[in-house]
Each structure stands twice: as structure tokens, then as C-alpha cells.
Amino acid sequence: MLKLTAFAGRTARIWNIAPSLLRTSPSLLARTTTTTTTTTRLLPFSTSSFLNHGHLKEPNPGEGLKITFILKDSSQKTYEVCEGETVLDIAQGHNLDMEGACGGSCACSTCHVIVDPDYYDALPEPEDDENDMLDLAYGLTETSRLGCQIKMTKDIDGIRVALPQMTRNVSNNDFS
Amino acid sequence: MNSAQIRYLSSLINRKTVSIIGSGPSGFYTAYHLLKKSPIPLDVTIWEKLPVPFGLSRYGVAPDHPEVKNCEETFTTCAEEFSPQTDKKHKLSFVGGVTIGKEITLETLLNNQDAVVLSYGCAGDKKLNIPGEQGTKGVFSSREFVNWYNGHPDFAKDKRFTDFDWSKVSKVGIIGNGNVALDITRVLISNKIDEIWQNTDISPIALNIVRKAPVKDVKLIARRDFLHSKFTNKELRELWELERYGVRGCIDSKFFQKGMFDSFKSDRVLNRRVEMCSEYLKPFDERSKKNYKKASPPTSGYNKFWELDYLKTPLEINRDESGAIKSLTLCNNKIQEDNSLKLLKDSNNILTYDMDLLITSLGYAGVPMLEFSKLSIRFDRDHVANKQGRVLTVTGEIFPHLYASGWIRKGSQGVIASTMQDAFEVGDRVIQDLTVSGTLSSEKSIDLSNIKHSTWVDWERINKKELTRGQKEHKPRSKFLTFEELWHNVEEV
């Protein structure tokens, strides 16, 4: 819980973002969260690869790296994954709500995640092309990154990332 | 077309029906979201006026940005997984080559479907409305030009492009300051750099013609200032990075100087843009950061130039005796306190720029469907009037079962990611309404047996052929450029 509070405090220092976005991340992250375990949902109709894009490898026993996702409803999911997998692959492989509109090629901002500041500095710095895409991300914070550009390594074992609330700036057209 | 295609349309048994007009990113992302999230079984049909899908992803995205088109993979998976021939919870059908409002009316759809979503984007041009804009050779709108180089069947062989004398095009003017203006600048200023274009799916007709132009100067003309430029940093960076080929960018110190924008320090996007321009405007060796020194200009120096030009309003396009563009008359303007523009029309402020080609890139304009007035659907300037995606009538009431998503909902702005987000939000409202509404007890069906149309299976055939042709030419794809070729690959009824 201590780490989570720190995470929330740091992300409150948001860069230049519309005031309507300021309420998103901190409140999301400060809320008490419950960890749920993943089970395969049984659907009355046949499921398909459409609902499960990724093909993740199972890590060898004892070699798995841990990653925790904080979802939009504040629940948390922790997975053991192989070194080298990207956050986008992991999220899609587990059917989390993360799009990769450009297929993970750093050409859109749909896999935007907010990284726990305790892990942010352990990541290699974002390149220009990633920053150019982060420019366009909703709910940008100081520790925002693109999921497709974060590769799992031993340095970030245990990393925690939050999916941003998809709050959009309200435009005049919404009331037209 | 096969009989199964008809069968699904006539057997609307347990599923609620949704029709989406338009198969570009907004239409397909709306469908994707509905299929992914709807708790009730759906039968979704995407209607497309061209025989092939994907709209602006196929015909709008610049050919040297293939990664942006990767959204098509998601759309394809969606169409395959929910093909009407399978036994999935939902069904998704694609009907191409059918224009809603012509072969089938919007009213018919509204009478037969539980929900209809307008996702047909913006198929018109915003205009300058100045003398010479119409009928002058060498004056094109950005939509026409982009569709032409992307091989859109309405434009690929358009004589206005193919008959124009490109061998004299040295000076180019582009009016507008969005990403499309930058895309067009990139295409024109790097027209002879084969390594950028030869392995893309750019229309070979357009490439061969544009390559002939001895383009030297491209001026991007904006009515407002640097602060108001609409392009994104990615596209601007790409232009600066062309310096490795001897292409140099310029901004007059009247419009851009370091320190000019210090009061906007908290604006991340502007800040990064200011740093980028300040650094790139310095001579290569004097730049402080290594990311602005990725590749040095050729030893021969710079031989092509693009320029960001601000605070000018075009007044008149002037022609030579052959009817081709000769120059553009403009006036300076200034931004007033209430943010409106004041045109300065005294002789000191009138200018003439010589130019051989002018592209107006003021944005795509939404066009109302003819039936809107009959159905009392309200259209505001460039988009369908709506409240959070629910379409409004002329009296401001919600029009039942009718929605709008993407550019036709908000106007032509934003990248595919923003259109995706918009489509998801509208999709949620459709699901919300469908969950509480009763099913239309409609025995009527939409009979396609006498309407020429393409199906997803036809598209798969066309796609495969285009990919195979492309492979032979070391390109990701070689598009069919005419309706004739496209329809030739569609199975007869």
C-alpha cells in the first residue's frame, strides 16, 4: 500500500493537461485496490483469437518476471511473464483493454500506460518517436510510456503500470 | 456474391441488427467495439460505397507511413472472426460498392435495423472561396491530391493530374497547417528520392508523374501563427529529418525566435516543437543535442527548401495565358485580441508569390446526405448534429436509433487513435440503447439480390492479388487503380 500511495502522489504532478484530466490518474491510483486472479471466462458462444490477440510464452519455472496492471476499475492483475515481452503483448495476451492500433510499431498512442515512478527511472529513456506519440495520449502524466516500447527485463521485475482512464476533452460538438 | 450473404440479411432472428455506414477507421472501430463489448448478440453490417474497405486508412494515410495502416489488421481479424458463415455470438458483414442514399436509402436502413451509425467521414473539401480556386490548372485540394497519389479509383487516372505539365513545377504553395499539408510537402519535396517511395504502395501513375517535377521550394502558408499550427511533432520532425537528402527547412525570424514562446513553457507539445525548430534551424554542427544530429546534410549542401510561412490570407489565384497557375496574391493579417483575424489590405501588406502548383489543405469537409432534410436530421457546418454520438433532429430532439462516429460526428480532426476512442464511446452508447430497447419486429429484409455489390470474400480475393502483385515489385501492395479492375475481381451474383 505504501508503494501505491507514492505512485499516486507522483503521478499527480501532471504536465500540461486539460483540467478535466487532472482528476483521473491520482484518484484512480489512490483508491484501495483488490487483486483478482484471472480465470478463463466461459462464454455461451465459441471464443476466438479475436478476444485473445497475443501469443505469450510461458516462462520456465523460477525464471518468470512479474508485472502488475492496475485496470480502469482499479482492480489489479499480476502476471508472470518471460523476459523480452512488451507490456502491450502482455496486456493483449491476457485480454486486457489495451489497443495497439499500429500493431506495436510506436506510431500511435493507444497503448499508453502510466508507470509506477519507482520503476520509471529503471526504463531506458523514451526516444523522440515515442515522445511524439505520447504528445497525443489522453491523460498524460510524468511517468507515461507506450506499452509497446516497454520490454520486460530483470531490471524492472515487479513493475506496476496503470491503464489511463479514457477521459476525453469535452468539445463544443458534444453539446451541439 | 453468394447465397449465404442474402440469407443472413433475411434471417434476423435472435440478433439485434446494426448498420454502419462507412468502412474507414471510425466505422470499423465502431463495429469492433460493438462486437467486443455487446452483451446481446448482434448482426452488424458495414456498408461501403467503394468495392473495397478501410476508407482513409487505405486512401488517406501517406504511403510512407505503412505502420499507421496496421489498424487494418484489427479490422480484418474482426471481419474474419465474425464472418456470417461462422457460428459466433455476433455476425459482421461487409457490403461494398453500395452507396447509402443511392442504391439503398438511409430510410430503408432505419426502418429495417435496430441501430444505424453514420461513420462516413468527410468526403468534401473546405474551400478558400477566392477567385481562381476553380478551373485553374495546377490548383488542387489536398483531398484530391492525396486520393490521387494513394490510387483512389475516383482520382488515380484523373486527367486534371495526368494532363497537367509537372515538368515546370519548381515552386509550390500549400495553404494549411495540418498533418495533411505536411504529408503533401514531404511527397513533393522528396519526389526524386526514390528510396523513400519506390517500396511503398503509392500509385505508380502518380509517382511517375510527380517525379518529373523539379520541385525546389515548398511554402506552407498559414493564416495564423506558429502557435496555432495544427500538425503534430512526428510529422514536423520527419520534414526536418529530410536534411540528410539536402532538404532544408526555414522559418522567418518574424514568426519564430527562441524566447518568443517562453510563456507557454508548461505546454509539453508546443515546448517540444519549439525546441525541435530552434535546434534544426541552427547549422548542423552547432546543435546541442544528439537527436538533432542523426544524419548530416550531404557535402554538396542544401538544394531544396520548405518554409513555414505565417499570418497571410490568400486573396486571389492568378493564371497565365494557358490557364495554369502563375502566382498567388495574399495579404498580411494580424490576430486581434478577440482571436479573430484582421486582414491588412493596404498596398504595403499585399504580396504576390510566384508559384507553379498550389494545394489547398484546409481540411476535409463533412457533407450531409441528401436524405437528411427529408428526415429532418440536423447538419451543422461540417458535421452531423449530435449529442454524444446520438444524432439530433432539426428541432434538437434525439433521432431514434441513429448515431454518428468519427469525423462526420466531430469534423475532420484527430489521428486514428482519436477516431478509435470516439468510435468506442459512440459504440458504448449504441450498446446502452440496444440493451434497453425492444427488438424491432421486422420481417422485412434488405434484398441485395438485384444490387451489384462486393462482399468480404471479394475483398479477400482483391487483397490477395494486390499483395501478390506488390511482392513482385518489392512493395507491400500494388493497388488496383480503377473501378473496372476492382469490379473485375468481384464475383457476379
Side-chain angles (χ1 to χ4, degrees):
Chain A
M1 201 49 221
L2 196 67
K3 190 180 267 181
L4 192 64
T5 315
F7 189 1
R10 287 276 297 276
T11 48
R13 283 191 288 125
I14 295 176
W15 285 358
N16 169 55
I17 305 165
S20 64
L21 294 176
L22 285 167
R23 59 189 150 79
T24 59
S25 326
S27 60
L28 157 74
L29 297 163
R31 235 174 284 150
T32 313
T33 56
T34 47
T35 306
T36 50
T37 46
T38 44
T39 50
T40 311
R41 276 193 306 153
L42 288 173
L43 296 172
F45 297 86
S46 56
T47 54
S48 64
S49 61
F50 173 68
L51 296 169
N52 197 350
H53 328 231
H55 304 283
L56 295 174
K57 274 183 289 174
E58 282 285 317
N60 294 329
E63 288 176 15
L65 301 172
K66 280 209 171 79
I67 175 166
T68 299
F69 288 87
I70 301 165
L71 307 184
K72 290 169 198 178
D73 64 0
S74 303
S75 66
Q76 298 190 19
K77 299 214 169 180
T78 301
Y79 305 107
E80 277 207 29
V81 298
C82 294
E83 187 158 4
E85 302 277 12
T86 69
V87 169
L88 174 64
D89 291 338
I90 298 163
Q92 293 200 327
H94 290 98
N95 197 21
L96 304 184
D97 257 340
M98 186 190 291
E99 294 303 324
C102 73
S105 58
C106 200
C108 74
S109 56
T110 55
C111 64
H112 167 209
V113 293
I114 299 161
V115 179
D116 180 342
D118 287 354
Y119 292 87
Y120 183 82
D121 291 337
L123 296 170
E125 273 199 39
E127 302 277 342
D128 285 336
D129 56 349
E130 185 180 349
N131 271 324
D132 287 348
M133 290 302 121
L134 285 169
D135 279 355
L136 308 172
Y138 292 109
L140 192 73
T141 71
E142 232 177 298
T143 65
S144 286
R145 293 295 300 261
L146 293 185
C148 69
Q149 300 301 303
I150 304 177
K151 269 199 179 139
M152 290 304 292
T153 61
K154 291 195 180 72
D155 290 344
I156 57 167
D157 186 14
I159 190 173
R160 296 152 53 77
V161 298
L163 306 192
Q165 295 285 50
M166 283 300 194
T167 306
R168 199 168 47 81
N169 291 326
V170 177
S171 83
N172 288 338
N173 292 339
D174 290 321
F175 306 104
S176 65
Chain B
M1 192 193 58
N2 51 44
S3 55
Q5 187 72 27
I6 296 289
R7 208 177 315 133
Y8 94 87
L9 283 165
S10 53
S11 63
L12 314 169
I13 311 164
N14 286 321
R15 297 181 172 87
K16 289 201 173 179
T17 54
V18 182
S19 270
I20 297 171
I21 303 171
S23 69
S26 64
F28 249 111
Y29 269 125
T30 307
Y32 168 82
H33 195 71
L34 292 175
L35 300 171
K36 200 172 173 188
K37 297 285 180 182
S38 173
I40 43 174
L42 297 180
D43 188 337
V44 178
T45 308
I46 297 184
W47 303 87
E48 167 58 52
K49 71 175 175 187
L50 295 177
V52 291
F54 304 145
L56 277 191
S57 174
R58 180 174 161 99
Y59 292 120
V61 171
D64 58 335
H65 290 164
E67 65 286 349
V68 177
K69 296 173 194 257
N70 283 347
C71 59
E72 292 175 13
E73 283 173 27
T74 304
F75 307 155
T76 301
T77 314
C78 200
E80 285 169 356
E81 293 293 336
F82 295 99
S83 143
Q85 281 80 28
T86 62
D87 63 342
K88 295 288 157 54
K89 176 179 178 178
H90 308 296
K91 290 187 187 299
L92 175 65
S93 306
F94 170 80
V95 182
V98 174
T99 305
I100 301 303
K102 278 190 189 155
E103 290 89 350
I104 293 171
T105 61
L106 177 60
E107 200 172 10
T108 308
L109 284 190
L110 288 164
N111 288 336
N112 281 278
Q113 302 280 287
D114 296 303
V116 176
V117 187
L118 307 171
S119 306
Y120 64 85
C122 296
D125 299 303
K126 291 185 183 162
K127 300 267 186 213
L128 286 171
N129 295 316
I130 60 170
E133 190 175 14
Q134 300 302 322
T136 304
K137 291 177 197 163
V139 177
F140 304 104
S141 78
S142 58
R143 192 179 59 90
E144 296 166 332
F145 189 69
V146 168
N147 278 330
W148 177 59
Y149 69 59
N150 275 324
H152 188 295
D154 275 335
F155 296 91
K157 294 192 172 177
D158 189 333
K159 289 214 176 332
R160 289 176 54 219
F161 290 102
T162 51
D163 287 357
F164 179 65
D165 186 0
W166 292 82
S167 68
K168 290 182 182 142
V169 174
S170 159
K171 290 183 175 194
V172 179
I174 297 172
I175 318 257
N177 245 233
N179 277 340
V180 176
L182 263 53
D183 280 346
I184 293 171
T185 304
R186 205 170 63 250
V187 169
L188 289 169
I189 202 86
S190 66
N191 63 338
K192 291 180 191 274
I193 307 168
D194 289 342
E195 64 180 82
I196 297 181
W197 303 106
Q198 67 190 4
N199 301 119
T200 69
D201 68 355
I202 194 169
S203 158
I205 300 176
L207 182 61
N208 285 334
I209 288 174
V210 167
R211 278 181 88 263
K212 291 180 191 152
V215 179
K216 279 258 181 301
D217 291 289
V218 179
K219 227 185 238 299
L220 286 127
I221 302 159
R223 289 191 306 170
R224 291 178 180 269
D225 55 5
F226 182 82
L227 215 54
H228 288 84
S229 287
K230 291 258 172 63
F231 43 72
T232 59
N233 285 336
K234 177 199 172 181
E235 267 74 12
L236 183 60
R237 188 183 310 280
E238 279 179 308
L239 269 186
W240 286 116
E241 287 181 352
L242 287 177
E243 73 174 350
R244 77 183 63 175
Y245 301 107
V247 176
R248 177 72 171 151
C250 328
I251 316 175
D252 192 290
S253 58
K254 275 199 299 253
F255 306 122
F256 183 90
Q257 272 175 51
K258 215 171 175 228
M260 227 172 185
F261 306 101
D262 282 358
S263 54
F264 300 95
K265 272 279 187 246
S266 61
D267 184 331
R268 167 194 160 107
V269 179
L270 179 67
N271 232 3
R272 298 184 69 246
R273 184 189 300 164
V274 169
E275 183 190 281
M276 187 195 314
C277 293
S278 309
E279 285 288 314
Y280 273 114
L281 284 167
K282 289 179 194 165
F284 188 83
D285 297 327
E286 290 172 26
R287 294 176 197 162
S288 55
K289 291 192 179 171
K290 68 173 189 315
N291 48 331
Y292 302 110
K293 298 173 83 165
K294 280 178 205 155
S296 58
T299 44
S300 54
Y302 300 108
N303 55 16
K304 293 185 176 209
F305 302 88
W306 55 273
E307 182 183 357
L308 296 175
D309 190 15
Y310 291 103
L311 294 167
K312 310 240 168 15
T313 301
L315 298 176
E316 185 170 4
I317 295 164
N318 311 301
R319 305 174 182 173
D320 65 16
E321 42 305 333
S322 75
I325 182 170
K326 184 175 72 177
S327 62
L328 175 70
T329 306
L330 317 90
C331 72
N332 288 319
N333 63 42
K334 74 177 189 200
I335 302 173
Q336 303 183 104
E337 266 179 30
D338 66 353
N339 213 25
S340 67
L341 288 178
K342 184 179 176 163
L343 306 192
L344 308 171
K345 289 193 176 176
D346 57 285
S347 56
N348 291 336
N349 282 299
I350 302 270
L351 317 93
T352 300
Y353 289 163
D354 289 340
M355 58 182 69
D356 315 307
L357 177 72
L358 177 70
I359 314 272
T360 58
S361 182
L362 311 172
Y364 294 14
V367 180
M369 291 170 72
L370 283 176
E371 278 175 271
F372 282 4
S373 56
K374 182 185 161 200
L375 296 169
S376 297
I377 293 165
R378 189 170 127 198
F379 195 84
D380 288 341
R381 206 168 48 91
D382 62 348
H383 64 276
V384 178
N386 69 90
K387 194 176 178 189
Q388 298 177 318
R390 296 181 180 99
V391 170
L392 299 178
T393 65
V394 283
T395 51
E397 314 283 314
I398 286 175
F399 193 109
H401 318 302
L402 184 61
Y403 305 82
S405 73
W407 277 8
I408 197 61
R409 181 174 103 71
K410 310 199 296 187
S412 60
Q413 50 181 310
V415 295
I416 290 179
S418 24
T419 290
M420 179 194 87
Q421 191 52 35
D422 188 72
F424 287 2
E425 286 168 25
V426 174
D428 279 337
R429 304 215 171 93
V430 175
I431 293 169
Q432 199 184 333
D433 294 354
L434 283 176
T435 315
V436 296
S437 71
T439 310
L440 293 178
S441 57
S442 166
E443 281 300 308
K444 289 175 278 182
S445 64
I446 299 162
D447 182 9
L448 289 173
S449 54
N450 290 316
I451 298 173
K452 181 176 166 183
H453 68 277
S454 61
T455 64
W456 190 260
V457 177
D458 293 319
W459 159 244
E460 283 176 328
R461 187 180 313 112
I462 292 170
N463 184 38
K464 209 173 154 194
K465 286 192 184 176
E466 288 188 344
L467 294 174
T468 310
R469 281 162 31 130
Q471 211 171 14
K472 286 180 193 149
E473 301 161 27
H474 308 286
K475 296 170 183 176
R477 165 187 307 278
S478 170
K479 289 178 194 166
F480 291 116
L481 301 175
T482 60
F483 282 106
E484 203 183 356
E485 285 172 288
L486 289 169
W487 282 118
H488 180 74
N489 287 288
V490 172
E491 238 172 56
E492 294 289 321
V493 179

